[in-house]
Amino acid sequence: MGLVTRTPDVLKMLKDDHDKVKTIFEDFEQADDRMKAFLVSQGIRELEVHAAIEEELVYPVLRSDLEEKHILDEALEEHHVAHLLIEELRAMSPADERYFAKFKVLAESIRHHIKEEEGTMFPEVEEKELNWEELLVAVERRKNELLEGAKPELQPGVSTITKGKHAKAEVDISSQTIHV
Ligand SMILES: [Fe+2]
């Protein structure tokens, strides 16, 4: 009350990720089939990295401070449904009749999920005295790992362009290890 609250950086980062996938979903609506196929693969990649970060690092930390634990359980169920749809998309080809329809349903369910997180979950935890700094460091580290694959030889300072190139090829490998 009367206090100026500052949104923790880790929550800002998750919201930025949300904005990124929402843009992909909007672009998908306008795209031709070739572009749609590209956006599906891009969307899947973003969602898998984001979901892994939330499941492995963010949700476990929030659980201890969230009064309404069912919010987290529902979020995990929504992730579960998203993983199933992603798995089905991976087994299909863009030429399959229901490929784009499936991605559209995935997009709708993710939009709902984002609304819940930003509207209910994040506001409830953002004023809590969590170790937000520590969580941010862990999230950033894990995100880089997922985008890069295990690359111990990479030094901080390596060009982001190189990072980007590796990201595409290696996210599949990491995602298998983390079951997303
Ligand atoms: Fe999220």
Side-chain angles (χ1 to χ4, degrees):
M1 282 200 323
L3 287 174
V4 181
T5 52
R6 230 185 107 250
T7 306
D9 287 338
V10 68
L11 296 184
K12 278 191 204 150
M13 184 180 168
L14 294 173
K15 285 183 184 179
D16 286 346
D17 286 350
H18 290 168
D19 290 344
K20 211 187 280 180
V21 293
K22 283 199 281 189
T23 305
I24 292 174
F25 297 156
E26 277 162 30
D27 291 348
F28 177 85
E29 300 291 328
Q30 320 292 331
D32 61 23
D33 282 4
R34 241 184 86 198
M35 192 59 186
K36 273 192 165 101
F38 170 74
L39 290 167
V40 171
S41 63
Q42 208 190 358
I44 286 177
R45 189 173 143 249
E46 290 291 337
L47 288 171
E48 284 186 324
V49 171
H50 183 79
I53 285 166
E54 289 188 340
E55 288 165 22
E56 293 174 19
L57 300 166
V58 181
Y59 289 176
V61 169
L62 299 193
R63 187 175 281 278
S64 56
D65 273 79
L66 203 67
E67 274 118 53
E68 310 270 341
K69 308 233 186 281
H70 69 94
I71 294 174
L72 260 177
D73 293 332
E74 284 163 28
L76 283 168
E77 281 307 314
E78 285 161 3
H79 276 206
H80 173 66
V81 171
H83 288 314
L84 290 177
L85 291 174
I86 288 173
E87 214 173 286
E88 288 176 2
L89 281 166
R90 283 204 188 286
M92 293 165 84
S93 116
D96 286 331
E97 210 177 342
R98 280 163 51 194
Y99 187 78
F100 294 140
K102 199 176 285 294
F103 184 72
K104 220 177 148 180
V105 170
L106 173 65
E108 278 158 14
S109 110
I110 295 293
R111 277 197 188 107
H112 164 83
H113 176 71
I114 288 174
K115 232 183 239 172
E116 296 271 301
E117 278 191 353
E118 294 190 1
T120 312
M121 187 193 294
F122 292 177
E124 201 191 310
V125 290
E126 68 185 4
E127 292 171 46
K128 308 269 183 192
E129 295 285 319
L130 295 177
N131 195 340
W132 291 112
E133 281 306 306
E134 196 183 62
L135 182 60
L136 179 67
V137 171
V139 162
E140 278 176 342
R141 191 189 303 131
R142 186 68 182 123
K143 198 172 189 181
N144 284 337
E145 263 174 30
L146 288 168
L147 290 171
E148 314 256 346
K151 280 201 166 298
E153 78 275 14
L154 273 185
Q155 295 305 309
V158 69
S159 108
T160 44
I161 297 162
T162 322
K163 283 184 180 178
K165 272 187 193 156
H166 288 302
K168 263 193 185 127
E170 285 167 7
V171 75
D172 284 345
I173 300 163
S174 358
S175 63
Q176 277 170 17
T177 347
I178 51 168
H179 310 290
V180 288

